[in-house]
Amino acid sequence: MENLLMYFAKVNGLIILFYLMYILFLRKETFFVSNRWYFLSGLILSLILPLITFTKIIWVEPTPIPEYYEEAIPITYNTIETPIQEATLDWSLILMSAYIVISILIILKIGIELVSFFKRIQKQNKQKESDYTLVDSNSAENPFSFFSYIVINKDMFTEEELQHILTHESIHVKQKHSFDVLIGKVFCAIFWVNPIIWFYRKAMLQNLEFIADNETFQQIENKYEYQKTLLKVVTHQHNLSITNQFYQSLIKKRIVMLHTNQSHKKNVWKYATILPLLVGFMLLFQIETVAQVKEVTISKSITNELIQFVIDKNTTDAQIKEETELLKKEHNIELKISKIKRNAKNEITALEAKFEDSDKTSGKISIKGEEAIEPIRFFKEINENGKGNIGFDRNNISTVFAKMDADQLEWNDAQTIEIKKSDTDEVIYIINGKEYSKEEMKDKIVELDGAIEMNENEKNGKKIMIFKGNSTISDEPKTIIYLDEKMISEDEMKRIDANIIKSVDVNKGNIKKEIKIITKNSSGLPEDAEIYIDGKKATKEELDKIEKEEIETININNNNGKKSIEIHKKNIKTISGGTWTDVNKEIKKQEIKIITTDDGDESIIFNVNKLKIPGEPTVIIENGRVDIYVNGKKLPNSESFLNIDPSKIYYLEVTDKEKTNEGITKIKRIEVKTK
């Protein structure tokens, strides 16, 4: 029971986490399709992550078993009356049962709606289309879709409105949005006590409408009529919550999103903001700590064949002292462990170990680093003659020292048995278990995956460098290639058309080389595309001369299959010369006023009389150019709008516009409401 409640709490906590991150970072972005998968992933991960646990083992010292004595006590048989306790109510069981009953009732309601839907369409006229089945309903309800069915009352709409609605609903059908709707309903049924799950589902449904609206807007020509169609069905609703309704609440928000500029691709980083929180959840709640008692085997094994002492990261100073004294006393081996460093967890991270045997064979190992050490074994093999190899063993690499002839006792006469090249080379490298000489490593680059261990013979100065982990050796430095700030491979670079390249920058560092390729602004535009820069027609050559940092907005229009692109450059000026009055006038021209409306959109007035509304081209506020209505009344002079205090404006929308023969959008009427 307790585990189930804990799982239930974790699932609800993750759902709340995903929803809050959507509200904070993704709600105003136009990545509608990505948002759909974000919502679905959030629900699935909320169910899965609480089931994944990791085990952390903590080693503890064994507790000695104390001796104890039992005192014999004579047994007496007495009759004891045990009072009968009245059974108490198990409120937790009652509450859980009530919760499950409510969940079942909600699921039954979903089932009833499914049955009701199929009964409803049985008696209606059905027309099979390529992608969907059209159901002509004579009841006065708004259009909706469910899986492959689209239900609509044709008598309520004109032919153009009907076409708009079918385009919209067919997108729901093709992308199988009904699965999202049902998944949201099931989660609400299971976790109905969590109020956030209802807001989560509402955001999911709203995003599905954004997807369908956005794709419909791209397919139809008369976008103004489509918005009127949205408004027309506001008053018509039906009671089947399992379907994709052509009308959802917040109709104003849907229309606003239709006119919102597409989010910049660089904003996809916002999806990654959930990852640190998920990692934190796993670290805080999904790691089980298990205590294990250390085995009482003091890393030694003294037999007729082998003497050994193993030091790991948890070996204490007392254990080291005990072992070294035992080796000295019983085997006349002097082992000194010094320069020990430990981290905050009291784990050994660095040490130096030296030994000298009774026959003057000696050796040394030195380890330095920030991470806890791997186990190190000191060993001496003893054969039937009382002799054998002696040395250190670590990470599957052995450094074995042997005694030479009796008259060769100097350090420089000691040899390394397994490292054959160390007799002639001053430095030997061991990479991935293979030996390399200094000459073999000349002009090579090693990309290290791990740490480097350095062993040095103090008397002859010979060095052994061991590269831990999987390392790679290459002759050439690694080259990193960027195409418009995106990393690409060398093969992708070879396939780039040279005609679209604007500049190539090669940066050579100490090890790595970077190639940055910037493409022309006109790359990807059709040959017949018309280009307008700040309202003036321009050529592709003029477009390519503009730096990407200079561009403020880009609007792409499709007029009967012919594309036109409108570019507005940032208003960047350098003020110099003249009197202070001239400079003050120039500064005043560049003042920016920001209008924040109740829906959260921010419009900007700049260069004195230029107005930029989100999703709309820049318009010049001049009498005769645009009509402005404030609180329902037309201003006799449009320029008087510029004198209104921006903080008092809570509504600002374009209500009428047209396209010129050149495909440029012209704003004709703006509605304003003030406090």
Side-chain angles (χ1 to χ4, degrees):
M1 175 77 74
E2 184 179 350
N3 290 337
L4 183 61
L5 290 176
M6 183 59 68
Y7 173 77
F8 184 82
K10 289 178 180 179
V11 172
N12 280 281
L14 286 172
I15 289 173
I16 293 172
L17 190 64
F18 273 95
Y19 179 73
L20 291 179
M21 297 308 290
Y22 169 77
I23 294 297
L24 291 174
F25 293 101
L26 302 173
R27 179 177 54 174
K28 293 187 178 181
E29 301 297 336
T30 59
F31 304 126
F32 303 131
V33 175
S34 298
N35 283 349
R36 179 193 181 190
W37 298 118
Y38 173 87
F39 282 123
L40 292 175
S41 301
L43 295 177
I44 294 170
L45 289 175
S46 296
L47 292 177
I48 294 175
L49 290 183
L51 299 175
I52 301 173
T53 57
F54 299 93
T55 302
K56 178 183 178 182
I57 298 176
I58 296 179
W59 294 94
V60 296
E61 297 293 337
T63 303
I65 301 174
E67 295 183 359
Y68 64 95
Y69 301 93
E70 293 185 357
E71 182 180 352
I73 302 174
I75 301 174
T76 59
Y77 296 91
N78 296 321
T79 303
I80 302 173
E81 292 186 4
T82 304
I84 301 174
Q85 296 181 351
E86 294 183 2
T88 58
L89 290 175
D90 189 346
W91 285 105
S92 61
L93 182 61
I94 294 173
L95 291 174
M96 177 171 283
S97 301
Y99 186 92
I100 293 174
V101 168
I102 294 174
S103 296
I104 293 173
L105 290 176
I106 298 175
I107 292 175
L108 286 175
K109 182 177 180 293
I110 297 173
I112 293 171
E113 289 185 355
L114 286 170
V115 174
S116 174
F117 169 78
F118 286 108
K119 281 186 176 181
R120 179 178 297 185
I121 65 172
Q122 279 182 351
K123 300 178 182 180
Q124 306 294 339
N125 295 325
K126 291 185 281 294
Q127 179 180 342
K128 182 67 177 177
E129 302 292 340
S130 59
D131 296 320
Y132 55 85
T133 299
L134 182 62
V135 179
D136 187 8
S137 173
N138 54 11
S139 60
E141 59 184 15
N142 74 298
F144 64 91
S145 63
F146 185 64
F147 286 102
S148 61
Y149 294 96
I150 297 178
V151 181
I152 189 172
N153 187 349
K154 294 182 179 180
D155 297 335
M156 294 176 57
F157 305 99
T158 65
E159 188 64 31
E160 185 177 17
E161 291 171 343
L162 182 63
Q163 191 59 42
H164 289 169
I165 294 171
L166 291 178
T167 302
H168 176 100
E169 295 300 330
S170 66
I171 292 168
H172 283 309
V173 172
K174 291 175 185 176
Q175 298 188 8
K176 297 179 173 54
H177 289 174
S178 295
F179 283 108
D180 302 52
V181 177
L182 281 179
I183 290 172
K185 286 287 290 183
V186 171
F187 267 81
C188 285
I190 298 174
F191 303 104
W192 57 268
V193 74
N194 180 5
I196 296 299
I197 189 61
W198 300 94
F199 293 112
Y200 195 104
R201 176 179 175 269
K202 181 179 178 181
M204 285 180 65
L205 299 182
Q206 182 176 286
N207 186 68
L208 295 178
E209 295 304 318
F210 291 159
I211 293 174
D213 286 339
N214 186 54
E215 295 198 16
T216 303
F217 223 50
Q218 296 176 14
Q219 296 179 24
I220 63 176
E221 294 183 2
N222 196 337
K223 296 175 173 54
Y224 180 67
E225 285 299 323
Y226 177 73
Q227 296 172 73
K228 288 174 62 179
T229 305
L230 288 178
L231 295 171
K232 182 175 181 179
V233 295
V234 166
T235 56
H236 303 289
Q237 301 186 50
H238 64 81
N239 57 359
L240 286 181
S241 60
I242 58 171
T243 57
N244 296 109
Q245 305 175 32
F246 185 78
Y247 166 74
Q248 291 281 0
S249 60
L250 301 175
I251 195 73
K252 175 186 172 184
K253 186 65 176 177
R254 288 174 60 185
I255 295 176
V256 169
M257 292 301 283
L258 286 172
H259 297 284
T260 300
N261 286 335
Q262 293 296 311
S263 299
H264 199 285
K265 289 183 179 179
K266 66 181 181 181
N267 288 345
V268 296
W269 67 266
K270 294 183 178 181
Y271 289 101
T273 54
I274 191 68
L275 296 179
L277 299 178
L278 296 180
V279 172
F281 168 81
M282 297 300 291
L283 293 176
L284 288 174
F285 303 108
Q286 300 307 108
I287 295 181
E288 294 181 355
T289 302
V290 178
Q292 277 194 358
V293 179
K294 291 182 180 179
E295 294 182 5
V296 190
T297 54
I298 306 176
S299 61
K300 64 180 179 182
S301 177
I302 302 177
T303 67
N304 292 329
E305 296 181 350
L306 179 66
I307 300 169
Q308 66 177 8
F309 170 40
V310 179
I311 303 173
D312 62 22
K313 61 183 180 181
N314 296 314
T315 303
T316 64
D317 293 341
Q319 289 174 325
I320 292 174
K321 182 179 179 182
E322 180 186 354
E323 292 296 316
T324 54
E325 289 177 353
L326 187 61
L327 288 170
K328 176 67 175 175
K329 179 180 178 181
E330 297 188 5
H331 303 285
N332 201 19
I333 299 174
E334 187 162 341
L335 178 63
K336 292 183 178 179
I337 312 295
S338 60
K339 300 181 181 178
I340 298 175
K341 292 184 179 179
R342 299 179 183 270
N343 58 21
K345 298 179 181 178
N346 205 31
E347 298 172 333
I348 298 176
T349 60
L351 59 79
E352 185 177 281
K354 296 180 183 179
F355 75 87
E356 186 172 353
D357 200 0
S358 57
D359 60 357
K360 300 301 181 183
T361 302
S362 58
K364 170 186 172 182
I365 185 171
S366 178
I367 302 170
K368 297 179 181 179
E370 300 296 329
E371 300 294 330
I373 65 169
E374 296 176 5
I376 307 164
R377 183 174 70 109
F378 168 74
F379 67 94
K380 182 178 180 180
E381 298 172 353
I382 303 175
N383 54 29
E384 61 273 15
N385 299 322
K387 297 181 180 180
N389 293 330
I390 185 171
F392 296 104
D393 198 1
R394 180 171 184 254
N395 199 25
N396 298 323
I397 300 174
S398 299
T399 305
V400 183
F401 297 88
K403 181 73 173 63
M404 300 297 289
D405 296 336
D407 58 341
Q408 295 176 334
L409 302 179
E410 296 296 326
W411 253 96
N412 56 5
D413 289 324
Q415 68 171 2
T416 303
I417 302 300
E418 295 186 9
I419 303 176
K420 302 176 179 60
K421 295 175 182 174
S422 62
D423 291 334
T424 56
D425 294 326
E426 293 180 0
V427 181
I428 190 71
Y429 303 89
I430 300 178
I431 303 172
N432 298 331
K434 185 179 178 182
E435 300 173 24
Y436 296 88
S437 66
K438 185 176 181 181
E439 186 63 29
E440 288 173 322
M441 292 304 297
K442 186 178 180 181
D443 297 328
K444 300 288 185 182
I445 293 174
V446 180
E447 289 196 7
L448 177 66
D449 179 16
I452 297 178
E453 175 187 317
M454 173 72 78
N455 296 331
E456 182 177 354
N457 187 318
E458 289 182 342
K459 294 188 177 181
N460 64 12
K462 290 183 180 179
K463 298 178 181 178
I464 302 169
M465 293 183 66
I466 301 174
F467 289 74
K468 293 172 57 180
N470 295 321
S471 302
T472 57
I473 306 172
S474 60
D475 296 313
E476 294 293 333
K478 185 177 180 181
T479 301
I480 302 176
I481 306 168
Y482 295 93
L483 177 64
D484 292 333
E485 299 182 356
K486 181 183 178 183
M487 191 180 296
I488 62 172
S489 65
E490 190 173 345
D491 291 336
E492 290 174 314
M493 182 184 73
K494 292 177 181 178
R495 293 195 294 267
I496 299 174
D497 185 0
N499 294 324
I500 68 170
I501 296 177
K502 182 176 182 180
S503 65
V504 178
D505 182 24
V506 179
N507 179 25
K508 292 184 178 180
N510 293 330
I511 295 179
K512 295 181 180 180
K513 181 170 67 175
E514 289 184 348
I515 299 176
K516 294 185 178 181
I517 303 172
I518 305 298
T519 58
K520 296 178 181 178
N521 296 328
S522 61
S523 62
L525 288 178
E527 289 295 328
D528 60 345
E530 294 181 340
I531 303 167
Y532 295 87
I533 301 175
D534 289 337
K536 296 181 180 180
K537 195 168 185 179
T539 63
K540 285 189 176 182
E541 289 75 16
E542 291 173 318
L543 174 61
D544 291 334
K545 290 179 181 179
I546 301 176
E547 297 295 332
K548 288 182 169 61
E549 293 78 11
E550 298 180 43
I551 299 175
E552 181 180 32
T553 60
I554 299 177
N555 294 318
I556 299 177
N557 301 309
N558 192 348
N559 187 19
N560 296 325
K562 187 175 182 179
K563 287 191 175 181
S564 64
I565 179 170
E566 301 176 26
I567 295 176
H568 291 277
K569 295 169 65 177
K570 293 179 181 178
N571 183 37
I572 302 174
K573 292 185 178 181
T574 302
I575 304 172
S576 61
T579 65
W580 172 251
T581 303
D582 296 332
V583 173
N584 197 35
K585 288 180 180 179
E586 192 66 27
I587 292 175
K588 192 172 182 180
K589 285 184 179 180
Q590 300 184 61
E591 285 182 353
I592 296 176
K593 297 179 181 178
I594 299 177
I595 301 171
T596 304
T597 52
D598 282 356
D599 56 11
D601 287 338
E602 291 186 345
S603 301
I604 300 173
I605 299 174
F606 63 99
N607 276 13
V608 180
N609 64 342
K610 291 183 179 179
L611 173 64
K612 179 67 177 73
I613 302 173
E616 304 291 351
T618 301
V619 59
I620 298 175
I621 305 300
E622 287 183 358
N623 205 33
R625 280 180 177 262
V626 61
D627 294 332
I628 299 181
Y629 288 74
V630 178
N631 298 327
K633 294 183 179 180
K634 181 181 177 182
L635 295 177
N637 186 349
S638 298
E639 295 176 356
S640 59
F641 163 76
L642 301 171
N643 298 323
I644 299 175
D645 184 355
S647 63
K648 294 183 178 180
I649 299 175
Y650 69 89
Y651 178 85
L652 181 66
E653 295 287 343
V654 174
T655 56
D656 192 14
K657 56 186 176 182
E658 66 178 5
K659 281 192 176 181
T660 64
N661 294 331
E662 293 81 12
I664 298 176
T665 301
K666 183 179 179 182
I667 295 175
K668 298 178 65 178
R669 175 170 171 166
I670 298 174
E671 293 282 348
V672 180
K673 293 181 181 179
T674 61
K675 298 175 183 177

